[in-house]
mmCIF file of all heavy atoms in Angstrom:
data_model
loop_
_atom_site.group_PDB
_atom_site.id
_atom_site.type_symbol
_atom_site.label_atom_id
_atom_site.label_comp_id
_atom_site.label_asym_id
_atom_site.label_seq_id
_atom_site.Cartn_x
_atom_site.Cartn_y
_atom_site.Cartn_z
ATOM 1 N N PHE O 351 25.590 49.872 -18.210
ATOM 2 C CA PHE O 351 24.220 49.951 -18.710
ATOM 3 C C PHE O 351 23.483 51.140 -18.085
ATOM 4 O O PHE O 351 22.812 51.902 -18.775
ATOM 5 C CB PHE O 351 23.468 48.654 -18.401
ATOM 6 C CG PHE O 351 22.011 48.728 -18.726
ATOM 7 C CD1 PHE O 351 21.581 48.694 -20.043
ATOM 8 C CD2 PHE O 351 21.058 48.882 -17.721
ATOM 9 C CE1 PHE O 351 20.237 48.791 -20.355
ATOM 10 C CE2 PHE O 351 19.710 48.987 -18.019
ATOM 11 C CZ PHE O 351 19.305 48.944 -19.346
ATOM 12 N N VAL O 352 23.632 51.294 -16.775
ATOM 13 C CA VAL O 352 22.931 52.376 -16.083
ATOM 14 C C VAL O 352 23.393 53.743 -16.600
ATOM 15 O O VAL O 352 22.585 54.653 -16.796
ATOM 16 C CB VAL O 352 23.136 52.264 -14.556
ATOM 17 C CG1 VAL O 352 22.733 53.543 -13.855
ATOM 18 C CG2 VAL O 352 22.350 51.085 -14.009
ATOM 19 N N GLU O 353 24.699 53.871 -16.873
ATOM 20 C CA GLU O 353 25.201 55.133 -17.420
ATOM 21 C C GLU O 353 24.538 55.427 -18.767
ATOM 22 O O GLU O 353 24.126 56.552 -19.037
ATOM 23 C CB GLU O 353 26.728 55.060 -17.568
ATOM 24 C CG GLU O 353 27.381 56.289 -18.180
ATOM 25 C CD GLU O 353 27.262 57.546 -17.303
ATOM 26 O OE1 GLU O 353 27.019 57.395 -16.088
ATOM 27 O OE2 GLU O 353 27.380 58.671 -17.850
ATOM 28 N N GLY O 354 24.407 54.383 -19.600
ATOM 29 C CA GLY O 354 23.737 54.551 -20.886
ATOM 30 C C GLY O 354 22.281 54.974 -20.700
ATOM 31 O O GLY O 354 21.764 55.838 -21.407
ATOM 32 N N LEU O 355 21.644 54.363 -19.708
ATOM 33 C CA LEU O 355 20.237 54.657 -19.417
ATOM 34 C C LEU O 355 20.083 56.113 -18.978
ATOM 35 O O LEU O 355 19.162 56.815 -19.399
ATOM 36 C CB LEU O 355 19.784 53.720 -18.297
ATOM 37 C CG LEU O 355 18.325 53.299 -18.243
ATOM 38 C CD1 LEU O 355 17.924 52.635 -19.539
ATOM 39 C CD2 LEU O 355 18.109 52.333 -17.083
ATOM 40 N N LYS O 356 21.021 56.562 -18.138
ATOM 41 C CA LYS O 356 20.981 57.953 -17.677
ATOM 42 C C LYS O 356 21.111 58.898 -18.865
ATOM 43 O O LYS O 356 20.386 59.877 -18.977
ATOM 44 C CB LYS O 356 22.138 58.222 -16.705
ATOM 45 C CG LYS O 356 21.872 57.735 -15.288
ATOM 46 C CD LYS O 356 23.071 58.044 -14.406
ATOM 47 C CE LYS O 356 22.901 57.419 -13.029
ATOM 48 N NZ LYS O 356 24.207 57.273 -12.351
ATOM 49 N N ARG O 357 22.055 58.583 -19.737
ATOM 50 C CA ARG O 357 22.312 59.468 -20.876
ATOM 51 C C ARG O 357 21.151 59.465 -21.855
ATOM 52 O O ARG O 357 20.904 60.456 -22.532
ATOM 53 C CB ARG O 357 23.586 59.036 -21.603
ATOM 54 C CG ARG O 357 24.823 59.287 -20.768
ATOM 55 C CD ARG O 357 26.076 58.990 -21.547
ATOM 56 N NE ARG O 357 27.241 59.120 -20.659
ATOM 57 C CZ ARG O 357 28.455 59.438 -21.069
ATOM 58 N NH1 ARG O 357 28.675 59.661 -22.342
ATOM 59 N NH2 ARG O 357 29.442 59.535 -20.206
ATOM 60 N N ALA O 358 20.428 58.325 -21.951
ATOM 61 C CA ALA O 358 19.322 58.247 -22.905
ATOM 62 C C ALA O 358 18.115 59.052 -22.407
ATOM 63 O O ALA O 358 17.268 59.448 -23.198
ATOM 64 C CB ALA O 358 18.925 56.792 -23.123
ATOM 65 N N GLY O 359 18.039 59.294 -21.103
ATOM 66 C CA GLY O 359 16.918 60.062 -20.554
ATOM 67 C C GLY O 359 15.601 59.371 -20.810
ATOM 68 O O GLY O 359 15.454 58.183 -20.530
ATOM 69 N N ASP O 360 14.625 60.102 -21.362
ATOM 70 C CA ASP O 360 13.318 59.496 -21.634
ATOM 71 C C ASP O 360 13.227 58.948 -23.052
ATOM 72 O O ASP O 360 12.204 58.430 -23.462
ATOM 73 C CB ASP O 360 12.201 60.520 -21.400
ATOM 74 C CG ASP O 360 11.875 60.628 -19.916
ATOM 75 O OD1 ASP O 360 12.056 59.611 -19.213
ATOM 76 O OD2 ASP O 360 11.479 61.714 -19.468
ATOM 77 N N ASN O 361 14.304 59.073 -23.779
ATOM 78 C CA ASN O 361 14.314 58.589 -25.155
ATOM 79 C C ASN O 361 14.647 57.101 -25.169
ATOM 80 O O ASN O 361 15.660 56.678 -25.710
ATOM 81 C CB ASN O 361 15.351 59.395 -25.950
ATOM 82 C CG ASN O 361 15.292 59.075 -27.428
ATOM 83 O OD1 ASN O 361 14.348 58.424 -27.898
ATOM 84 N ND2 ASN O 361 16.299 59.509 -28.161
ATOM 85 N N LEU O 362 13.760 56.293 -24.549
ATOM 86 C CA LEU O 362 14.105 54.896 -24.357
ATOM 87 C C LEU O 362 13.588 53.988 -25.461
ATOM 88 O O LEU O 362 12.826 53.063 -25.233
ATOM 89 C CB LEU O 362 13.641 54.413 -22.988
ATOM 90 C CG LEU O 362 14.507 54.934 -21.843
ATOM 91 C CD1 LEU O 362 14.060 54.356 -20.521
ATOM 92 C CD2 LEU O 362 15.976 54.621 -22.079
ATOM 93 N N THR O 363 14.037 54.260 -26.669
ATOM 94 C CA THR O 363 13.894 53.281 -27.732
ATOM 95 C C THR O 363 15.256 52.627 -27.861
ATOM 96 O O THR O 363 16.229 53.109 -27.285
ATOM 97 C CB THR O 363 13.543 53.964 -29.059
ATOM 98 O OG1 THR O 363 14.583 54.907 -29.350
ATOM 99 C CG2 THR O 363 12.216 54.703 -28.956
#
Side-chain angles (χ1 to χ4, degrees):
Chain O
F351 173 74
V352 165
E353 178 66 20
L355 210 57
K356 280 180 187 159
R357 291 186 185 207
D360 279 331
N361 187 12
L362 286 184
T363 58

